[in-house]
Amino acid sequence: MSEQPAEEKADQHLDETAPGSEESEQPEEENDRPQDPWAARRELHRHAPTAIGGSLVGGAQTGVSGGSVTGDVVLGTKIEHHYRFGAATHTSGSIPDSELRDLRQVFAGYEELVHPLVDRLRDERVLVLSGAPFSGRRSAALMLLHALDAVPVRALDPKTRPTALNEQVTGDTRGYLVLDLVTGHDAPLRDIDLWSVRDELKQNNAYLVITVDLFAVLHGVDAVEWQPPSPESVVRSHLHHLVDDPPRERELLGLPPAREFLGRTDHQLREAAEFAKALSDHAEGGRSLDQLAAFGRSMIQEQVREWFGGDEASLRDKAFLISLAAFDEAAYALTAEVSDDLYAQFQGTEDANRRARVGVFGTSITKRLRLARATAYWQEEHTEWGPVTQRMARFQEGRVAAEVLREVWTGHPSARPGLIRWLQRLANDGRPLVRTRAAVAAAVLAQADLPSAMALLIEGWAKSKRYRDCLVAANALATAHAVGAPNVPAILRTWCDGDPAEPRLRWTAIRGYALVGAMMPREALAALADAARTGEDEQEARHIAESAALLLTDESPAVREQVLRDMAELLGDAPSVRRLALHAFVLACTHTDDLLILRWYATAGERGGPEDARQLAHLWRTVLNDMRYTSEALKALGDWVREADQDPEAERHLAVLLPALAVTGDDRKRIGHLLATLRDRRGDAPLPVAARLSAAL
């Protein structure tokens, strides 16, 4: 499911304590060491969601912003919800004839979707339509009843017990509708209930359509699974009704926002109907093109508010939505596992004296994902045990994940205690993916409300006595900066220059600069140089050098070039800063599996970038002549030569580099001795490539 070192048990996330809190303060363990920084960076990039992972490289930023939706929200071919505060909601009564007339004018997909069901309803008198929320089931039910001239239509109370349905269809009305009948394990809808109501309907020459959601409890009922019309057909139908000018309609549908909207097939029908209204408003000059382009963001915000602002979704469903937001594009089993833990945390918030209860079975993957407007797919995941094929889950619209986290954090403060406990437990998990997702979630919360996220989560991790917790804080800050959270550079600078009594805050900032540096390379290297000037600890000096080396091996060539230029200038700085530059360069050469620095030197010359090649060669000669780093530098060169024994391209690159390093007689002797004494990795035999490279000198 995810990477999990053998010494770190996966069930560590059950630990109740929070890093950084007084009750969780633990003595520093003797074996508590920072994770290798290159491995930590790979984990962050690998385990972050796609949208955010890309933003951590080279400084691209992502985020969701947008307007809001006001007024009625149209669902499919009718108005389902009216956001008018104080208005009464009547769940029983006759449906106005005007609504049926409007529906006939805009309904899409009658011939292929509704008409085939007419004969069945005529024969059976009662039909059950099952489907996802906002898929146009009510509209389809009304069209079915209208096709049989079963009007007027009387809407029955959805809380009517299934055993009492036959008592509700005894009047003179010919058409009846129950919208989203409420069922449960103590009140399922059974086939016997339908037989009973069918007898009553036959006596009165009437018809009944019942719609149920995906979680309805049905016993022996042959429900019709409703397949809605395509969002595009709904847009076209509504737009034609509103504009009634085919050339103008085609022009509107050709606008970039319309092409983008119609390019997706996962829109709810209410969104399609509302988008048609937005296009009509634009045609009449009431909505600008920019406002039209912001429509999708507004719908996302409205959907998320609906999930968490109403009672349609259960508490367990809401916990799953939040978990999916944090673990978007991760394995479904992992998402479900941690969502049940969050569900237990929320139960504790609702009633601290009640023991949390989480049902072991009874959840449906299909229904859960439909509710969340998510999709499942199979994908190969790389683990320390090799590639494993997993069933993954993600929101159909990538921007939903961040919006869910922001809405819960800022719009529902009562959820914060449970959410905080949950994230702290995730950060304490033995699986790197889980810890990374805790950091990413905290970053999104920081973008929405920086002071609270810092005080309640990130700062506690940063002050922890465990390096692993500090790394979660560094990952959170780097990701927060990538998604647009304010003041992250100032926070890092304050911690880096801060009180020596807070060494873990300082370490968090030093590692944070390595991760956020791609977005601010000059500022990051300058801050690390200042830390080197004021630091006195050798271990910290190595951590600073590792962060600088990470900047020098960034994936972005522009970032590397900037860091190289600034690092070369540090050679003339104070001794501690000079040592930082040399140590970082040696580490960069040693820790790159793909010979990045060697390839950089060779291609810099080929591209006509002699300045990069000159500075790289200068740094190489400097480290080879500095007694502190000569041994490490020769080891790095030796590893490159061993790689070249199996890689002709690497051999060609070394044939270009080595002469540039052998400027003086001492240089030639040093490199010549290395090549003459170098053995293969088993230490048995000399390397043929070494002899060929000696000739190149």
Side-chain angles (χ1 to χ4, degrees):
M1 185 178 302
S2 58
E3 298 180 44
Q4 178 184 6
E7 69 273 15
E8 297 175 346
K9 300 299 183 183
D11 61 1
Q12 285 180 348
H13 74 281
L14 298 177
D15 183 358
E16 294 288 348
T17 57
S21 61
E22 292 183 8
E23 60 269 25
S24 67
E25 286 295 328
Q26 304 170 8
E28 186 172 356
E29 300 174 7
E30 292 183 3
N31 63 350
D32 179 43
R33 296 184 179 89
Q35 184 182 14
D36 173 76
W38 281 268
R41 181 173 67 178
R42 283 195 299 270
E43 284 180 0
L44 176 60
H45 290 183
R46 179 186 302 161
H47 297 319
T50 302
I52 293 176
S55 70
L56 289 166
V57 181
Q61 295 192 7
T62 62
V64 179
S65 60
S68 60
V69 175
T70 59
D72 294 339
V73 177
V74 179
L75 313 189
T77 51
K78 65 177 184 63
I79 297 175
E80 291 251 355
H81 286 288
H82 302 265
Y83 296 99
R84 297 191 179 101
F85 297 102
T89 302
H90 301 284
T91 55
S92 296
S94 295
I95 296 176
D97 292 339
S98 59
E99 182 174 341
L100 290 173
R101 287 196 303 270
D102 292 342
L103 175 59
R104 291 197 302 271
Q105 291 177 326
V106 297
F107 190 84
Y110 175 83
E111 290 296 332
E112 63 272 24
L113 299 172
V114 173
H115 184 69
L117 301 176
V118 172
D119 289 340
R120 178 171 173 179
L121 178 59
R122 180 183 291 112
D123 294 340
E124 299 182 10
R125 295 286 174 171
V126 57
L127 191 68
V128 178
L129 283 180
S130 172
F134 314 123
S135 58
R137 290 168 298 156
R138 180 179 184 273
S139 299
L142 291 175
M143 291 300 293
L144 269 170
L145 293 170
H146 177 265
L148 293 175
D149 200 27
V151 291
V153 177
R154 185 167 185 82
L156 303 180
D157 192 335
K159 295 181 180 179
T160 302
R161 290 186 67 84
T163 54
L165 284 171
N166 61 333
E167 301 172 5
Q168 303 298 314
V169 296
T170 58
D172 296 332
T173 301
R174 294 200 61 222
Y176 294 92
L177 170 66
V178 181
L179 180 63
D180 289 348
L181 178 69
V182 176
T183 63
H185 292 292
D186 60 338
L189 178 62
R190 306 167 301 172
D191 49 6
I192 193 173
D193 301 321
L194 299 185
W195 298 339
S196 175
V197 77
R198 180 178 296 130
D199 293 339
E200 195 67 43
L201 291 167
K202 285 182 178 178
Q203 290 182 17
N204 298 297
N205 191 26
Y207 301 90
L208 166 65
V209 180
I210 302 171
T211 71
V212 294
D213 63 24
L214 299 169
F215 299 94
V217 182
L218 308 177
H219 289 177
V221 174
D222 183 18
V224 174
E225 184 173 347
W226 171 244
Q227 299 296 331
S230 68
E232 180 177 354
S233 66
V234 173
V235 170
R236 292 180 179 277
S237 176
H238 278 253
L239 186 63
H240 180 66
H241 174 65
L242 293 167
V243 176
D244 195 18
D245 181 355
R248 182 59 171 148
E249 293 165 33
R250 288 193 293 271
E251 180 183 341
L252 292 170
L253 292 171
L255 293 172
R259 291 200 304 270
E260 179 182 354
F261 185 91
L262 296 177
R264 299 179 60 94
T265 60
D266 55 359
H267 297 294
Q268 291 180 346
L269 301 191
R270 59 172 175 171
E271 295 170 350
E274 186 67 15
F275 186 69
K277 178 64 167 60
L279 284 173
S280 173
D281 290 345
H282 175 70
E284 296 174 359
R287 188 186 293 250
S288 69
L289 195 61
D290 288 341
Q291 290 173 323
L292 193 61
F295 175 85
R297 295 193 296 270
S298 301
M299 282 289 95
I300 289 170
Q301 292 169 337
E302 194 63 35
Q303 169 68 89
V304 172
R305 292 190 193 107
E306 187 175 273
W307 277 335
F308 294 98
D311 298 327
E312 289 81 4
S314 68
L315 184 62
R316 193 174 188 182
D317 292 335
K318 292 173 182 176
F320 178 76
L321 287 165
I322 297 169
S323 179
L324 183 58
F327 288 85
D328 196 34
E329 300 177 355
Y332 172 84
L334 173 61
T335 303
E337 170 202 331
V338 296
S339 78
D340 282 345
D341 185 36
L342 178 58
Y343 175 44
Q345 298 299 327
F346 284 158
Q347 290 181 74
T349 298
E350 289 191 336
D351 187 350
N353 297 319
R354 186 185 70 179
R355 183 174 179 82
R357 296 178 60 87
V358 179
V360 178
F361 300 107
T363 58
S364 164
I365 296 176
T366 301
K367 293 177 180 178
R368 272 188 157 184
L369 295 180
R370 282 187 183 177
L371 172 69
R373 301 181 66 179
T375 184
Y377 58 101
W378 295 92
Q379 180 173 293
E380 190 175 84
E381 182 180 13
H382 294 282
T383 73
E384 64 172 325
W385 301 281
V388 178
T389 301
Q390 299 267 49
R391 178 165 53 189
M392 320 297 275
R394 65 173 176 235
F395 286 108
Q396 292 171 341
E397 165 55 67
R399 294 172 292 181
V400 171
E403 192 60 41
V404 165
L405 294 172
R406 280 194 285 266
E407 170 65 17
V408 172
W409 187 248
T410 60
H412 303 273
S414 295
R416 283 190 177 186
L419 187 60
I420 291 167
R421 290 192 299 268
W422 182 65
L423 289 172
Q424 288 169 338
R425 288 153 68 92
L426 296 182
N428 195 40
D429 195 283
R431 294 164 286 191
L433 184 148
V434 177
R435 296 197 301 273
T436 298
R437 291 309 182 93
V440 171
V444 176
L445 303 184
Q447 190 268 342
D449 180 2
L450 180 67
S452 296
M454 289 296 299
L456 298 175
L457 286 168
I458 299 174
E459 195 167 8
W461 291 328
K463 290 180 178 179
S464 171
K465 291 186 178 298
R466 297 193 305 177
Y467 279 116
R468 194 171 72 179
D469 298 330
C470 297
L471 179 59
V472 174
N475 286 344
L477 286 174
T479 309
H481 187 62
V483 299
N487 303 326
V488 171
I491 292 169
L492 292 175
R493 190 73 193 203
T494 299
W495 286 0
C496 197
D497 297 342
D499 189 344
E502 293 283 4
R504 291 306 169 93
L505 282 181
R506 183 173 163 98
W507 184 91
T508 301
I510 289 169
R511 179 57 66 85
Y513 275 122
L515 301 172
V516 79
M519 291 164 268
M520 39 181 284
R522 302 205 71 175
E523 297 87 337
L525 187 60
L528 293 172
D530 288 344
R533 290 189 187 92
T534 59
E536 299 178 356
D537 181 74
E538 284 298 320
Q539 186 181 31
E540 182 186 81
R542 180 176 181 85
H543 296 161
I544 296 172
E546 287 173 341
S547 290
L550 278 167
L551 296 178
L552 192 59
T553 58
D554 190 81
E555 295 182 28
S556 166
V559 171
R560 292 200 305 269
E561 291 168 4
Q562 182 63 61
V563 173
L564 175 64
R565 288 193 291 271
D566 292 346
M567 191 171 285
E569 294 179 2
L570 296 181
L571 296 178
D573 210 306
S576 60
V577 179
R578 176 184 169 87
R579 288 195 294 272
L580 159 66
L582 296 179
H583 195 181
F585 182 74
V586 172
L587 290 172
C589 294
T590 304
H591 283 79
T592 50
D593 298 332
D594 56 354
L595 307 181
L596 174 63
I597 304 298
L598 175 60
R599 288 189 293 104
W600 185 3
Y601 176 84
T603 56
E606 294 170 0
R607 303 197 306 262
E611 184 60 22
D612 282 0
R614 186 190 67 79
Q615 290 176 338
L616 287 168
H618 177 59
L619 279 166
W620 256 117
R621 290 193 297 271
T622 305
V623 295
L624 286 170
N625 285 283
D626 190 300
M627 294 299 293
R628 293 186 186 85
Y629 307 109
T630 300
S631 178
E632 286 185 64
L634 287 172
K635 181 180 181 303
L637 268 182
D639 288 342
W640 286 0
V641 175
R642 291 190 181 94
E643 289 288 336
D645 194 48
Q646 305 295 325
D647 184 348
E649 185 179 35
E651 181 179 349
R652 289 194 298 271
H653 292 342
L654 279 170
V656 175
L657 172 65
L658 293 181
L661 304 185
V663 175
T664 67
D666 288 341
D667 293 337
R668 286 190 292 273
K669 289 179 183 178
R670 185 183 296 112
I671 296 174
H673 181 266
L674 169 70
L675 295 173
T677 59
L678 197 63
R679 296 294 182 267
D680 60 23
R681 295 192 185 280
R682 292 181 298 179
D684 296 336
L687 295 171
V689 70
R692 294 194 296 271
L693 291 172
S694 293
L697 287 176

